[in-house]
Amino acid sequence: MQPFSKITIIGVGLLGASLAKVCKERKLADNIAGFGRSADNLKRAGEQGVIDHGTTDLKDAVAGADLVVLCSPVASIADRFREMAPHLSAGCLVTDVGSVKAPLVRDIEPLLPEGVHYVPAHPIAGAEKSGLDASTADLYEGARCILTPTENTDPAALERIQKFWEAVGMRVQILTADEHDFIYGAVSHLPHVVAFALINAIGQLKTSDQEDILNLSAGGLRDITRIASSDPVMWRDICLANKTHVLDLIGRFSQSLEDIRKQIEQGDGAGLEKSFKNANGHRGKLVGQNS
């Protein structure tokens, strides 16, 4: 694809720095600017060659950019856009990495200056560690990226943003914003809520002889609760942003758990086995998946 003259990355953490690295590696931009709250982090990113220019001045960061990628936390993306909108050049494309789409579309589209185009995106990529030091140029390779254009999205802008995410190595799929939020509420947001809740439920349990029963757990508990080590602030923001779908899905999960509780209480071995077999069947769909 034709390289951008200047890409500005808002938020030079794991996602933003990884994006800058792959853009550098694949020559997708002539110049990469980074914006963030920490001058020290931006300085280190510059010294490491991750970005060409770093600044804590948002107006300076987006000046002359023909692509801006919002890599800040989902709760701050709309505010960042509101702040930078008056300083965007005509023809500038804006995309983001937010894991909840409908609220961003609702908040950002009315703020778009004439000639500026927004294409919402959610690259399904990440790692347990966060920050600049955890960034890597291959973070996005082979992963899925969801675009959620609306009837207001400029077709040419959509095509260029799709090619951009493909150029960094992603498999692009298009959904509506609400469909995206329901699906990822189910396959990502709810599992994180369940993992946090499970650890909260058993984390303080002890017996007369064992002060910490987690020390006696096997690998299964570690596997099922691994994501409970994720950033609590980030997941707080995601759950609140996707509140309607998360609450609906918690209700569905609670009903499933209640059905199993009743089967155990009633000694319904056949029903319990059926529930577990159904789960085995659904779990099989995940084997070999690269999301």
Side-chain angles (χ1 to χ4, degrees), residues 263-264 266-278:
Q263 289 160 355
I264 295 174
Q266 296 167 5
D268 181 5
L272 194 62
E273 182 179 356
K274 182 179 179 181
S275 292
F276 293 167
K277 281 185 176 179
N278 285 342

Side-chain angles (χ1 to χ4, degrees), residues 172-243:
V172 174
Q173 184 172 352
I174 294 177
L175 300 172
T176 67
D178 195 60
E179 185 179 24
H180 166 279
D181 290 354
F182 174 74
I183 291 171
Y184 284 93
V187 302
S188 177
H189 308 167
L190 178 64
H192 279 81
V193 169
V194 171
F196 287 127
L198 179 57
I199 285 294
N200 283 338
I202 66 176
Q204 302 300 317
L205 296 180
K206 59 185 178 181
T207 69
S208 57
D209 294 323
Q210 298 294 327
E211 285 293 316
D212 184 0
I213 68 170
L214 293 180
N215 286 329
L216 299 176
S217 65
L221 181 64
R222 182 171 58 252
D223 291 343
I224 200 173
T225 60
R226 175 187 57 81
I227 54 177
S229 62
S230 301
D231 182 356
V233 174
M234 179 183 77
W235 282 99
R236 174 202 67 190
D237 292 345
I238 289 172
C239 287
L240 293 176
N242 201 22
K243 177 179 178 180

Side-chain angles (χ1 to χ4, degrees), residues 13-187:
L14 172 66
L15 295 178
S18 294
L19 187 60
K21 286 181 177 181
V22 69
C23 286
K24 285 269 191 181
E25 186 178 88
R26 301 187 181 188
K27 297 179 172 56
L28 302 182
D30 297 329
N31 181 275
I32 298 178
F35 167 85
R37 293 175 299 177
S38 169
D40 179 66
N41 186 67
L42 293 169
K43 181 181 178 182
R44 290 195 302 113
E47 291 172 346
Q48 294 173 23
V50 176
I51 57 176
D52 298 305
H53 171 62
T55 177
T56 57
D57 182 337
L58 191 55
K59 178 180 178 180
D60 176 42
V62 302
D66 47 352
L67 174 64
V68 175
V69 187
L70 289 150
C71 298
S72 52
V74 68
S76 67
I77 287 177
D79 287 338
R80 285 282 180 242
F81 184 84
R82 185 178 291 106
E83 184 181 350
M84 73 185 192
H87 312 295
L88 297 174
S89 303
C92 181
L93 303 182
V94 179
T95 189
D96 70 287
V97 302
S99 54
V100 181
K101 304 316 311 173
L104 295 182
V105 170
R106 182 190 64 235
D107 292 343
I108 290 176
E109 281 199 335
L111 302 172
L112 283 169
E114 185 70 27
V116 173
H117 304 290
Y118 171 52
V119 181
H122 177 199
I124 317 299
E128 290 184 37
K129 294 183 179 180
S130 60
L132 171 65
D133 294 333
S135 64
T136 171
D138 63 0
L139 182 70
Y140 298 97
E141 185 65 37
R144 183 178 285 111
C145 181
I146 308 298
L147 302 184
T148 62
T150 73
E151 60 183 10
N152 300 316
T153 303
D154 179 75
L158 173 60
E159 181 180 7
R160 188 140 200 234
I161 291 298
Q162 179 168 345
K163 288 181 177 178
F164 169 73
W165 286 113
E166 290 173 344
V168 302
M170 304 201 81
R171 297 175 291 121
V172 174
Q173 184 172 352
I174 294 177
L175 300 172
T176 67
D178 195 60
E179 185 179 24
H180 166 279
D181 290 354
F182 174 74
I183 291 171
Y184 284 93
V187 302

